[in-house]
Amino acid sequence: MMRHIHALGRATLDIVSSIGRAGLFLIQSIVCLPSREGFHLWVRQMHFVGVMSGAIVLVSGLFIGMVLALQGFTILVGFGADEALGQMVALSLVRELAPVVAALLFAGRAGSALTAEIGLMKATEQLTSMEMIGVDPLRRIVAPRLWAGFVSLPILTVMFAVVGIWGGYLVGVDWLGVYEGSYWSNMQDSVDFVDDVLNGMIKSLVFGLVVTWIAVFQGYDLIPTSEGISRATTRTVVYASLAVLGLDFVLTALMFGDLG
Amino acid sequence: MDDPIMVEVKDLHFSRGNTDIFRGVDLQIPLGKITAIMGPSGTGKTTLLKLIGGQLVPDRGQVLIDGQDVHQLSRRSLFKLRRRMGMLFQSGALFSDLDVFENVAFPLRVHTELPNAMVRDIVLMKLQAVGLRGARHLMPSELSGGMARRVALARAVALDPDLVLYDEPFVGQDPISMGVLVQLIKKVNQALGLTAVMVSHDIKETLSIADYVYIIADGKVMAHGTPQTLDVNDDAHVKQFVHGEPDGPVPFHYPAPDFFDDILAPAGQFS
Amino acid sequence: MKRNNLLELGVGIFMLAGILGLVFLGLRVSGLGVGVPNDTFTLTANFANIGGLRPQSKVTMSGVRVGKVTNIQLDPKWFDAKVTMELDSEYEGKLSNDTTAAILTSGLLGEQYIGLTVGGAPEMLHDGDVIHDTQQALVLEELIQQFVSNMAN
């Protein structure tokens, strides 16, 4: 009995201390003065984190938009409301699918790569040696990556939504023969820039921060062995995906919950 | 030891989890000399270097560098102090996203405002000293282990530090690059008048370049002296370590019940 | 150096794609008009029941979009809904003042919108005028109720 209480206590302390460390880590690395040097490091990471994830996001966005149109059409046509296809595709993409799916893809593509990269730097003592040279690795290694993730995910989300809407247009209008004018005008009548587009952007900003944070922290905090790196990479994808889905529910409830 | 003291370690205690790694270590590292810290694997030699560099905080005791207590310094002063230190890591620890040239230039770029032309001159000078001026455009992944360590040495001394810490510089090297490294460390040290602390368990190589040697075992300093005095030391531990005897006070066998009893144990009593 | 330039170019294109995408989402998808306020004129109409009409709903004539609903309020005098709409200014002074406004539904369950039908009166509607002849939204429940009571008779 005592042993179980001990174990519970230890587990609680472990969790609290690891949350504390992660929080401290975030604050120490995200608060930094912009500099020319920092800008160049950030650009390099934007390339690694953002541009390199572009292809997968574009392709997935296209397919998701096409599937949405196909599925939506078969349902809507039953109500004689196939005119509303544009509205359905655009709303589901902008509010929900683009932020969430882009964030999940981002966690798999960029998040795991960040964890592995930083973990490898730790395992090969690059972080320690940087500290010994008198450069804070939080500033030099972690901060540019955090900022790059924070900025790139919203951009990827926008790209996802745009390509998805285009994919929906290809299937809905070009293939299934929905009237082009009503595809766009129904969309324009129902999508609100602030309520839908900007709320979607806010979601993806939050996801960008959380996914990158989890990824770099897992990399920075891992046990520097090959096994440690592979475990931490898995943990990044699992934790980040769960965090995205959980936060998505919370944010959706906050943003759209009062609409009924 | 009449030389002035550069680094002084007083009554250092450190533990990790429930294991005591150091139980009262005292060291005095003289200015301008190569001091080696030796001991069997797992005695926490690398930990000792990290304690000296201020990356770990001891449970008790002090590390004084040039009279400053490393662990009482603010983060800013500690980083300032570290500019006067170079450290050569076991794996080289070159930054994998920078090429050889930029690796050596890194400390110069972050700590000095030197114009590019001057940075270039200094970097080429350091690379020339380690014989890798021609390899300046290679990426770390294209270097052999020995070359990587030489580049790391060039980087460690790029800022002309006062103190260089070497972590197992000879581990895993073939005889040729080992010989090259031994010569280089000796040469660089003499040329720049550095104080060096070297952690190693390669006895022959270390004794050939060290001016003074500490042997650490069981969390304490077991013996110290010049290589000559250690060579003729009569203490059983020292003898076993310095001459590399397989059995002695550090036993060959992991603690186990008597071999015969174990073999002849009646069936059903296997444990 | 050349590799670096290429990298910066890539990031630049990436950022630009993001901004253009956001502009597309703003203009094409949510229909934010770049239109200057001068380009519209305002009409109001009172409806007994607006059904599912809401701000941003479209206003059409013969099925062609001519404007949008900007505001819906309860008129405290008659307790009916006062709908304010903005129409493209090119129609100002061209709609007769006996124009009717009806709340229509696209499809069976679709979006509700206002359809205008021009009458024959010589006076024209101008900015701030009121459309008097209105037709309220069809509410499905009421229709069903009517249908059922007709059947019963």
Side-chain angles (χ1 to χ4, degrees):
Chain A
M1 190 60 202
M2 282 306 279
R3 229 187 39 224
H4 292 297
I5 296 177
H6 268 292
L8 180 68
R10 197 164 46 235
T12 314
L13 286 179
D14 280 354
I15 292 172
V16 169
S17 89
S18 103
I19 290 175
R21 259 180 309 151
L24 203 65
F25 168 84
L26 179 68
I27 291 166
Q28 278 178 347
S29 36
I30 213 157
V31 179
C32 58
L33 293 172
S35 64
R36 224 181 111 74
E37 174 75 18
F39 179 76
H40 282 294
L41 290 170
W42 175 77
V43 168
R44 191 194 269 270
Q45 290 311 316
M46 280 298 288
H47 177 80
F48 180 69
V49 169
V51 179
M52 305 279 269
S53 313
I56 185 176
V57 163
L58 288 179
V59 173
S60 322
L62 182 67
F63 278 115
I64 294 228
M66 283 163 42
V67 167
L68 266 180
L70 206 51
Q71 293 277 15
F73 183 80
T74 52
I75 295 170
L76 289 174
V77 86
F79 298 102
D82 49 319
E83 310 278 279
L85 187 67
Q87 158 184 0
M88 199 209 83
V89 169
L91 276 186
S92 31
L93 275 172
V94 168
R95 282 188 181 178
E96 203 54 45
L97 285 173
V100 171
V101 178
L104 293 179
L105 292 170
F106 185 75
R109 168 66 183 74
S112 59
L114 281 178
T115 304
E117 191 197 14
I118 294 181
L120 207 62
M121 283 184 181
K122 184 170 182 180
T124 53
E125 296 176 302
Q126 291 182 46
L127 297 182
T128 326
S129 90
M130 191 167 278
E131 235 171 77
M132 282 305 295
I133 291 174
V135 174
D136 189 346
L138 290 183
R139 294 276 152 77
R140 172 94 194 178
I141 301 288
V142 173
R145 285 167 174 77
L146 266 175
W147 281 106
F150 192 54
V151 176
S152 2
L153 187 54
I155 295 179
L156 291 169
T157 302
V158 168
M159 287 161 65
F160 189 102
V162 170
V163 171
I165 288 169
W166 182 61
Y169 174 87
L170 284 184
V171 169
V173 176
D174 284 354
W175 182 22
L176 299 171
V178 173
Y179 175 56
E180 179 176 353
S182 57
Y183 184 82
W184 292 117
S185 68
N186 255 312
M187 192 184 288
Q188 290 170 359
D189 290 341
S190 57
V191 177
D192 186 80
F193 188 70
V194 176
D195 280 350
D196 300 317
V197 178
L198 286 191
N199 272 344
M201 288 297 99
I202 291 172
K203 274 188 181 179
S204 75
L205 274 175
V206 174
F207 295 161
L209 181 69
V210 169
V211 170
T212 331
W213 178 21
I214 290 177
V216 289
F217 182 70
Q218 288 295 342
Y220 196 77
D221 205 46
L222 54 71
I223 302 158
T225 59
S226 0
E227 200 199 354
I229 293 176
S230 80
R231 279 198 187 165
T233 313
T234 314
R235 267 206 306 272
T236 292
V237 177
V238 173
Y239 290 177
S241 309
L242 287 179
V244 165
L245 295 172
L247 275 173
D248 181 53
F249 176 74
V250 174
L251 289 174
T252 307
L254 287 178
M255 288 168 176
F256 305 110
D258 56 338
L259 294 184
Chain B
M1 291 212 324
D2 308 319
D3 301 291
I5 305 300
M6 173 77 186
V7 181
E8 189 166 18
V9 177
K10 286 184 188 163
D11 190 33
L12 193 74
H13 285 69
F14 184 79
S15 58
R16 187 170 274 154
N18 290 327
T19 352
D20 289 334
I21 297 182
F22 297 119
R23 292 175 297 180
V25 171
D26 293 279
L27 300 171
Q28 291 184 320
I29 291 166
L31 186 72
K33 294 282 170 64
I34 299 180
T35 305
I37 297 169
M38 308 186 70
S41 316
T43 43
K45 300 185 298 291
T46 304
T47 310
L48 184 61
L49 285 190
K50 287 189 173 171
L51 284 162
I52 294 176
Q55 290 179 317
L56 296 173
V57 181
D59 301 334
R60 217 170 87 196
Q62 287 180 309
V63 175
L64 302 174
I65 296 182
D66 231 6
Q68 291 173 289
D69 185 337
V70 174
H71 302 99
Q72 300 297 325
L73 292 175
S74 67
R75 197 172 164 81
R76 177 187 288 264
S77 328
L78 179 62
F79 274 64
K80 211 166 148 192
L81 179 67
R82 281 187 186 155
R83 289 177 205 179
R84 296 173 49 204
M85 290 190 222
M87 183 156 174
L88 183 68
F89 286 84
Q90 208 164 343
S91 55
L94 296 176
F95 303 133
S96 44
D97 53 343
L98 303 176
D99 66 8
V100 166
F101 182 91
E102 284 301 324
N103 258 289
V104 180
F106 184 84
L108 296 165
R109 293 208 199 282
V110 294
H111 287 315
T112 66
E113 305 276 317
L114 294 177
N116 266 334
M118 204 182 271
V119 170
R120 192 184 124 91
D121 290 350
I122 296 176
V123 172
L124 292 186
M125 239 159 65
K126 304 288 177 189
L127 282 175
Q128 172 74 9
V130 298
L132 291 174
R133 191 165 46 83
R136 63 177 180 267
H137 295 305
L138 297 182
M139 295 304 284
S141 56
E142 298 168 297
L143 300 175
S144 73
M147 282 157 83
R149 230 164 275 189
R150 277 148 72 188
V151 175
L153 178 61
R155 186 180 67 183
V157 298
L159 281 172
D160 291 325
D162 302 326
L163 174 67
V164 180
L165 309 174
Y166 296 97
D167 184 7
E168 303 276 11
F170 309 122
V171 143
Q173 299 294 315
D174 63 71
I176 300 176
S177 52
M178 185 121 83
V180 169
L181 277 169
V182 170
Q183 283 312 308
L184 259 181
I185 290 176
K186 199 169 178 173
K187 208 176 76 188
V188 164
N189 228 67
Q190 280 169 355
L192 299 175
L194 300 172
T195 306
V197 180
M198 180 185 304
V199 147
S200 175
H201 51 232
D202 292 283
I203 303 153
K204 195 165 75 65
E205 289 73 25
T206 310
L207 292 187
S208 72
I209 55 171
D211 296 305
Y212 204 79
V213 179
Y214 282 89
I215 297 180
I216 291 186
D218 299 327
K220 286 195 164 136
V221 175
M222 195 171 61
H224 58 96
T226 60
Q228 294 75 28
T229 56
L230 282 180
D231 209 27
V232 296
N233 194 312
D234 275 340
D235 183 88
H237 276 93
V238 179
K239 236 173 145 176
Q240 188 196 357
F241 184 75
V242 173
H243 300 288
E245 290 156 3
D247 211 352
V250 178
F252 170 68
H253 290 290
Y254 192 83
D258 187 76
F259 188 47
F260 279 106
D261 292 350
D262 221 2
I263 290 276
L264 299 175
Q269 285 187 16
F270 294 138
S271 53
Chain C
M1 217 51 215
K2 195 169 176 197
R3 231 181 82 226
N4 232 346
N5 279 343
L6 215 64
L7 190 138
E8 281 171 10
L9 184 71
V11 174
I13 292 174
F14 179 70
M15 301 286 285
L16 201 66
I19 293 166
L20 287 180
L22 199 62
V23 170
F24 175 83
L25 286 184
L27 297 185
R28 190 78 216 227
V29 175
S30 34
L32 277 190
V34 264
V36 199
N38 294 357
D39 280 341
T40 60
F41 73 108
T42 308
L43 294 177
T44 56
N46 283 33
F47 292 91
N49 189 334
I50 55 161
L53 196 74
R54 55 189 184 93
Q56 300 294 329
S57 293
K58 63 183 172 182
V59 177
T60 64
M61 283 183 76
S62 311
V64 179
R65 188 191 166 108
V66 293
K68 64 176 182 193
V69 173
T70 52
N71 191 19
I72 300 175
Q73 271 182 321
L74 189 69
D75 189 331
K77 210 158 123 201
W78 303 103
F79 291 107
D80 56 4
K82 183 178 172 190
V83 174
T84 311
M85 55 195 122
E86 274 179 0
L87 272 64
D88 295 349
S89 58
E90 55 177 303
Y91 307 111
E92 184 169 7
K94 291 184 183 157
L95 308 177
S96 61
N97 70 352
D98 61 347
T99 296
T100 55
I103 296 181
L104 306 171
T105 309
S106 56
L108 188 58
L109 297 169
E111 196 72 13
Q112 287 188 306
Y113 63 98
I114 294 183
L116 299 180
T117 316
V118 189
E123 278 104 88
M124 298 297 162
L125 288 170
H126 291 278
D127 189 41
D129 284 353
V130 180
I131 299 177
H132 295 286
D133 193 357
T134 63
Q135 186 188 324
Q136 69 177 84
L138 288 180
V139 179
L140 207 56
E141 289 88 334
E142 288 175 5
L143 278 182
I144 294 171
Q145 214 169 14
Q146 265 175 23
F147 180 70
V148 171
S149 54
N150 284 346
M151 290 286 279
N153 297 339

